[in-house]
Amino acid sequence: MNIMKKMFNSFLTENSSTSSFSKYDEELGSLHADLKQNIQAIKEVFGGSNDVIIRNIEIGENRRVEIAVLYVEGLVDTESMHNFIMEALMLDIKGTELEAQFDLNDILETIKDSILTVTDITDITDFNQVFDNILSGSVIILVNGFAQGFAVGLQEFEVRSIGEPTTEGSVRGPKEGFTETLRTNTAMIRRKIKHPHLWIESKKIGRMTKTAVATMYIHGIVNEDVLKELRARLDKIDTDSILESGYIEEFIQDKTYTPFPTVHHTERPDVVAAALLEGKIAVVVDGTPFVLIVPALFSQFYQTAEDYYQHADFATFTRFLRILSLFIALLAPSLYIAVTTYHQEMLPTALLYSLAEQREGVPFPAFIEALLMEITLEILREAGIRLPKSVGSAVSIVGALVIGQAAVEAGLSSAAMVIVVSITAISSFAFPSFHMAIPIRMLRFVFILLSASLGLFGITVGIIALVLHLCRLQSFGVPYMSPFAPLLLSDQKDALIRMPHSRLVSRPQATVHKNQKRQQSSDSNQQD
C-alpha cells in the first residue's frame, strides 16, 4: 500500500503542470532597456502569432526616440488607438508647447502626462505585466533606453447584448440578465445598489486563462467571517484555467460529500442585489452570465425574485406549492411502489381493484416498471436539452406521450404508473433553481430502491437520513437549513411564508450579525 502511494505521489510530482510555466516566467523577468531585445523576447513568447501587432515609430527632433506600440488585434478598439495613441505620438512637436517639455531623460513622463490623451494608463516594469495587459486588451507602449513602459486600456470585445435571463423567467420584474462581460455585470449590480459601501475586490485566477474574478459585498452588512473564509478559498485555487463560474464553485464549496449545492448561482442582477443586502457575497466571473452567491441556504433555492414583486399572500401560496412539488418529485414513485407492493390495505377497495386490473398484463413488478419509466424520462429530458431549441421541446414532449401510450398498449407499464411518473416530472419543473432539481432527481432513485426493499419503513428511514444529512451541512460556516435548524424565529417571516414588506424590518439573522435593521417599522405595524 505504501509503495502504491509513493508511486502515485511521484507520478503527480513528475506530471506537475506548473514547473515549466513558472520556470519560463522567471527566465523572462524584468524588461530590458534595449527596445529590440524586449520586442524579440515578446515575439518568441507569442511564437510569431500574426494577431500580435508590433508597430515601431520614431518621435522627437531628428526622430531620435524609438517607440514600440504592441497590441492584439481583435481585443483593442483600433479606432481609439489610432486617434488617441498613434496620432498623438506621431505629432510633430517642433514649434509647439511640447517642444519645451521634450527631454530625453524625462520622455516617459512627457508621453504619459502631455502627449497621451487617455486616462487608463498603467506603468509596467516586467514581462509578466506586458503579457497580462496585452492579452487583456491593453495597448503596450515601450520606449528604447528605458526598462519600463505603459499599458493603455483601450479594450473592445465582441459582447452579447443584455437580454432576458433564459433559466430564471418571471412574469413580473426586471427582464435583464447578466452577460459574459465582467464589467457589464458589476455595473448592472451597481445600478441596483447605488451606495459607496458596495465594495469590489478583483483578482485573476488561472495561470493560463488569467480569468478576472470580482468579489462584491456591502461593507458594514457582510459577515466578516464568511468574507475571510471566501478570500482564503479563492487564494488557494491553483489551476491552469477558469472557463466558467462552475470551476470556481467546485473549488470554493464546502468539502462535504453531498448532492445538494452549497453555492447558489443566478443570472439575474436583482437576485444578486437582494442577496448583497442580506449580507451575502457575490462572486462575478468574467466570461459567464452566472454569478455565484455565498453562503447558500436550502430555503433560498425555493424562493424567487418574483416573490417580492407580488402580494405577500400570493407569494406565500406559491412557496407552499413549490414545497409540495418538492415532496411529489422526490417521493411520488416510491410511495406508489410501497403502497401497491407492501401496503395494499391502505387503498380503498375500488381503487385497489382498478390498479390490479391495470397491472394484470404487466410482466414486471412495480419497482422495475417505475425504474424503466424514470430512466426513459431522464433520457428524454437530456435529449430535449441537447437538441436544437426549435425541435428539442417538441421531441421531449411528443416522445414522452408516444412512449407512455405505447408502453401502456404493449402491456409493459400500467396507466397509473404513467400518470405517477408524469406528475413527478411536472413537479420537478416547478423548482425555481435547476441546480436544486438535480439532487432531487438523483435521490428519487434512492427512494425507489428503499420503497421496493422495505416499503413505507424504507421511505421513513430515507427521509430521516436525508433530514439529518441536510442539518449537518454548512455553507461557509452558516447552517444549511437555517432558519429551520437551528430555529431562528425572527427569520420565519421570510422562509416558508413571506410577510408584507412593512414587516420585514430586520435582515436575516442567519447571514447578518450586525446592522440587522433594514428599515423603520411603521406605527401601524408591530416591530419584530
Side-chain angles (χ1 to χ4, degrees), residues 6-22:
K6 290 180 180 179
M7 291 176 62
F8 182 71
N9 292 333
S10 176
F11 174 79
L12 292 179
T13 304
E14 292 175 0
N15 291 273
S16 175
S17 61
T18 62
S19 57
S20 60
F21 208 81
S22 300

Side-chain angles (χ1 to χ4, degrees), residues 14 93 108 156 200 215 237 259 288 389 434 440 509:
E14 292 175 0
I93 65 172
L108 291 178
E156 183 184 62
I200 301 178
T215 302
I237 299 177
T288 174
K389 290 183 179 180
F434 177 78
I440 299 302
Q509 186 180 345

Side-chain angles (χ1 to χ4, degrees), residues 174 176 187-194 269-270 273 277 309:
E176 59 183 8
M188 293 173 71
I189 298 173
R190 284 220 181 260
R191 283 181 55 200
K192 302 289 183 182
I193 305 177
K194 303 179 180 66
D270 55 335
L277 291 168
Y309 308 145

Side-chain angles (χ1 to χ4, degrees), residues 11 25 29 98 100 161 181 187 230 271 312 330 344 355 419 459 499:
F11 174 79
D25 287 343
L98 291 176
S161 60
T181 308
L230 176 61
V271 173
L330 182 64
Q344 297 91 343
L355 293 177
I419 293 174
I459 296 177
M499 299 293 288

Side-chain angles (χ1 to χ4, degrees), residues 3 37 74 90 98 147 164 205 210 246 248 254-255 295 310-311 332 405 410 433 449 453:
I3 296 176
Q37 193 174 355
M90 299 176 70
L98 291 176
E164 187 173 355
I205 303 178
K210 299 188 183 298
I248 299 290
D254 288 69
K255 305 304 180 184
Q310 303 282 1
H311 288 290
Q405 182 66 26
S433 173
L449 292 173
S453 304

Side-chain angles (χ1 to χ4, degrees), residues 372-441:
L372 291 175
M373 293 299 295
E374 285 291 343
I375 292 175
T376 302
L377 176 66
E378 293 299 326
I379 293 174
L380 285 172
R381 190 202 305 260
E382 189 67 17
I385 294 174
R386 305 306 164 196
L387 284 171
K389 290 183 179 180
S390 56
V391 297
S393 58
V395 168
S396 59
I397 294 173
V398 174
L401 293 174
V402 171
I403 292 177
Q405 182 66 26
V408 173
E409 293 180 356
L412 299 177
S413 177
S414 63
M417 179 60 74
V418 173
I419 293 174
V420 169
V421 172
S422 300
I423 294 176
T424 302
I426 294 172
S427 299
S428 65
F429 290 124
F431 299 163
S433 173
F434 177 78
H435 205 28
M436 179 56 77
I438 296 175
I440 299 302
R441 289 160 53 188

